[in-house]
């Protein structure tokens, strides 16, 4: 999942809300969660040890089946694998006979990893001591298996105590989020899944975004994304070598690698930052006054120093102040180079003229841009400048997503955070991405937000971690996160009646 830091958020003032729902016989459920701590931790460790990596086609069928079994084990009456043209997904339902139904989005895939870069094996799920407390380290720990395990731990508590949930659950899970969800819509469009999702009051993706002061956020929106591979080659260009040749021949041969560099240079302005693709900003909607208000309040209540330290940076773009940089983070579309590959990259030198060069890129999109528009404009831009021979492979992507803060889904979440005495924020738009538009867009048009307690870090990076036992009473560990979801389900059930 593509999330950014929680700085772009707003600490909300206390507003008048209806009486908060009470969790009946809460002590029984809490005792069950506490008593199942080791079992839930083991479930998370086993899940980390079972990675699905869509980009490498690793464990795509086994991961889906594992996800299906985990859902059945947590109390879903039915869960089945949904085939797609790519990696399969999972659709599951838990019918509690309740009048309200909640949608849940899971991903079961993870990013690639290089064990040499990790301080402990990335699939071991080792418990380590951190300043925050006891944490589990492993690929997928915080993105997203830790938060998802916390939600499933809440369901296990209901199952183990023989209690019915106060709401019904419809869950859809995919194994391609980390390659921009190219086939997720096929899962949601499955006739049975589509019919079930239409009955939901909205959809949540479990999160773990608490800061060191305990504050968390409700993520109302997220940028869209397309993931792209640009390839320059002598074969497609018709100039330069079709394969690597001796570099001395550069004197009288064209270079596919330099051609790619020249093409890439047209995609951004001289600052190397501002997108320069023709028409890229045509449909960009400026931040509203309300969104700016939320961002400004969030900046006021966040630590710029802590965030810069976490990111390992000393300056924002153009040395902008924190508020301006935060506005930019939420409002600007981006053109990013993930990686460049061409020729020889091993030790020492190797005098070759490469016949092929490749750029891995992602393009973040803001309302009212669309995935289809972005792809078309990128291709047209390159062709107009004579780079029509460069292959443009769009491997996945989706448009931005937004949810109204006045929806029942969000109001129930605000009520739950108030009840838990957790400082909360409304984050207008994540700088990262998730396919929430699949729910907020047609035909479903349901609110969809990121939400939850807990914390972690290192998503997509070495030593990814998720907090299990917290030293800070303001920050939730695994058990506290699970109980928060228990309480939330009761709050949602009550809010839907009002």
């Amino acid at each position: 999942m593509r999330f950014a830091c929680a700085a772009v958020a707003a600490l909300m003032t206390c507003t008048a809300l209806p009486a908060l729902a009470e969790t009946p016989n809460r002590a029984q459920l809490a005792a069950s969660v506490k008593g199942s701590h080791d079992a839930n931790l083991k479930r998370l460790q086993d899940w980390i040890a079972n990675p699905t990596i869509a980009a490498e086609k690793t464990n795509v069928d086994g991961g889906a089946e594992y996800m299906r079994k985990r859902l059945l084990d947590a109390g879903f009456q039915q869960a089945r694998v949904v085939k797609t043209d790519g990696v399969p997904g999972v659709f599951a339902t838990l019918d509690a006979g309740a009048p309200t139904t909640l949608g849940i989005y899971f991903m079961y895939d993870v990013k690639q990893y290089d064990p040499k870069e990790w301080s402990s094996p990335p699939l071991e799920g080792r418990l380590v001591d951190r300043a925050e407390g006891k944490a589990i380290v492993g690929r997928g720990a915080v993105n997203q298996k830790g938060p998802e395990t916390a939600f499933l731990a809440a369901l296990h508590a209901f199952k183990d105590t023989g209690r019915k949930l106060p709401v019904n659950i419809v869950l859809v899970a995919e194994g391609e989020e980390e390659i921009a969800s190219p086939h997720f819509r096929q899962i949601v469009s499955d006739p049975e899944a589509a019919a079930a999702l239409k009955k939901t009051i909205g959809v949540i993706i479990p999160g773990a975004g608490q800061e060191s002061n305990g504050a968390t956020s409700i993520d109302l929106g997220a940028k869209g994304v397309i993931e792209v591979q640009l390839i320059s080659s002598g074969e497609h260009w018709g100039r330069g070598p079709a394969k690597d040749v001796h570099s001395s021949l550069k004197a009288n041969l064209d270079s596919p690698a330099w051609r790619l560099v020249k093409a890439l240079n047209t995609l951004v302005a001289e600052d190397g930052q501002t997108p320069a693709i023709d028409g890229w900003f045509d449909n960009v909607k400026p931040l509203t006054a309300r969104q700016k208000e939320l961002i400004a309040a969030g900046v006021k209540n966040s630590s710029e120093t802590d965030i810069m330290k976490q990111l390992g940076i000393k300056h924002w773009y153009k040395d902008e102040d924190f508020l301006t940089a935060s506005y930019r983070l939420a409002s600007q579309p981006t053109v990013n180079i993930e990686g460049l590959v061409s020729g020889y990259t091993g030790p020492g030198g190797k005098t070759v003229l490469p016949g092929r060069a490749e750029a891995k890129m992602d393009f973040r999109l803001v309302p009212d841009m669309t995935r289809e528009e972005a792809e078309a404009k990128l291709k047209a831009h390159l062709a107009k400048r004579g780079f029509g021979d460069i292959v443009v492979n769009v491997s996945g992507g989706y448009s931005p997503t937004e949810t109204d803060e006045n929806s029942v889904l969000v109001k129930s979440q605000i009520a739950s955070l108030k009840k838990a005495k957790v400082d909360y924020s409304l984050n207008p738009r994540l700088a990262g991405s998730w396919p929430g538009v699949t729910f907020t867009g047609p035909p479903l048009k349901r609110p969809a937000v990121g939400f939850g307690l807990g914390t972690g870090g290192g998503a997509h990076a070495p030593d990814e971690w998720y907090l299990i036992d917290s030293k800070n009473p303001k920050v939730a560990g695994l058990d506290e996160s699970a109980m928060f979801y228990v309480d939330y389900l009761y709050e949602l059930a009550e809010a839907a009646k009002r």
Side-chain angles (χ1 to χ4, degrees), residues 105-378:
Y105 167 87
F106 271 18
M107 52 180 280
Y108 69 84
D109 63 316
V110 299
K111 277 293 187 186
Q112 305 92 317
Y113 55 88
D114 183 350
K116 296 191 297 294
E117 298 175 343
W118 290 63
S119 63
S120 66
L123 302 185
E124 181 179 315
R126 181 180 298 176
L127 285 178
V128 302
D129 291 317
R130 294 180 53 92
E132 298 87 353
K134 191 77 72 176
I136 188 171
V137 174
R139 175 53 83 227
V142 71
N143 183 19
Q144 274 288 110
K145 293 178 178 179
E148 291 169 352
T149 295
F151 183 83
L152 293 180
L155 301 190
H156 274 285
F158 282 97
K159 178 183 176 182
D160 294 345
T161 56
R163 301 266 290 271
K164 279 194 173 184
L165 272 70
V167 298
N168 311 311
I169 304 289
V170 173
L171 186 146
V172 285
E174 67 165 318
E176 292 183 317
E177 197 283 337
E178 295 295 10
I179 58 170
S181 307
H183 302 102
F184 181 54
R185 192 167 291 278
Q186 293 181 15
I187 300 168
V188 174
S189 298
D190 173 270
E192 190 179 1
L197 285 166
K198 286 180 181 178
K199 299 176 182 178
T200 63
I201 197 169
V203 179
I204 68 169
I205 173 174
Q210 279 189 286
E211 299 187 43
S212 58
N213 61 4
T216 191
S217 65
I218 300 170
D219 299 317
L220 299 175
K223 289 183 178 180
V225 67
I226 59 171
E227 290 207 1
V228 178
Q229 176 192 42
L230 297 185
I231 302 172
S232 173
S233 67
E235 178 185 0
H236 284 94
W237 186 16
R239 305 184 65 86
K243 60 181 181 180
D244 292 4
V245 298
H246 198 284
S247 66
S248 64
L249 297 171
K250 180 64 185 75
N252 64 356
L253 291 182
D254 295 305
S255 167
W258 275 113
R259 183 161 181 77
L260 179 63
V261 170
K262 296 295 185 181
L264 290 172
N265 198 46
T266 72
L267 302 182
V268 292
E270 285 300 313
D271 60 5
Q273 176 81 2
T274 306
I277 300 168
D278 296 336
W280 204 244
F281 287 88
D282 287 351
N283 296 316
V284 170
K285 183 171 66 176
L287 293 172
T288 66
R290 173 60 174 163
Q291 288 171 329
K292 286 185 174 181
E293 177 186 359
L294 296 177
I295 293 169
V299 165
K300 184 178 179 181
N301 289 284
S302 296
S303 170
E304 180 182 17
T305 301
D306 287 351
I307 292 168
M308 283 188 156
K309 182 179 179 180
Q310 181 183 8
L311 295 174
I313 63 170
K314 295 182 179 179
H315 305 276
W316 302 114
Y317 168 65
K318 293 175 64 175
D319 291 319
E320 290 175 341
D321 61 78
F322 190 26
L323 177 59
T324 303
S326 298
Y327 285 152
R328 181 182 296 278
L329 183 65
S331 66
Q332 294 296 296
T334 64
V335 174
N336 178 58
I337 298 174
E338 299 174 356
L340 290 169
V341 181
S342 183
Y344 179 72
T345 60
K350 184 180 181 183
T351 51
V352 295
L353 168 58
R356 185 181 189 276
E358 174 184 341
K360 300 277 192 179
M361 306 191 71
D362 64 69
F363 300 76
R364 304 285 173 170
L365 315 176
V366 300
D368 286 322
M369 301 174 77
T370 68
R371 177 220 186 278
E372 295 76 15
E373 167 201 1
E375 179 178 349
K377 287 182 174 177
L378 171 62

Side-chain angles (χ1 to χ4, degrees), residues 408-473:
V408 173
L409 188 72
V410 174
K411 286 185 175 180
S412 67
Q413 292 164 354
I414 290 173
S416 290
L417 291 166
K418 286 176 63 67
K419 177 182 176 181
K421 297 182 172 58
V422 174
D423 288 335
Y424 63 92
S425 57
L426 291 184
N427 185 352
R429 185 178 304 141
L430 285 168
S433 306
W434 73 287
V437 68
T438 313
F439 307 111
T440 59
L444 290 172
K445 295 185 178 180
R446 296 292 187 270
V449 300
F451 171 66
L453 298 187
T455 192
H460 297 192
D463 291 340
E464 181 180 351
W465 63 277
Y466 175 73
L467 189 62
I468 299 298
D469 296 308
S470 179
K471 291 180 180 179
N472 183 350

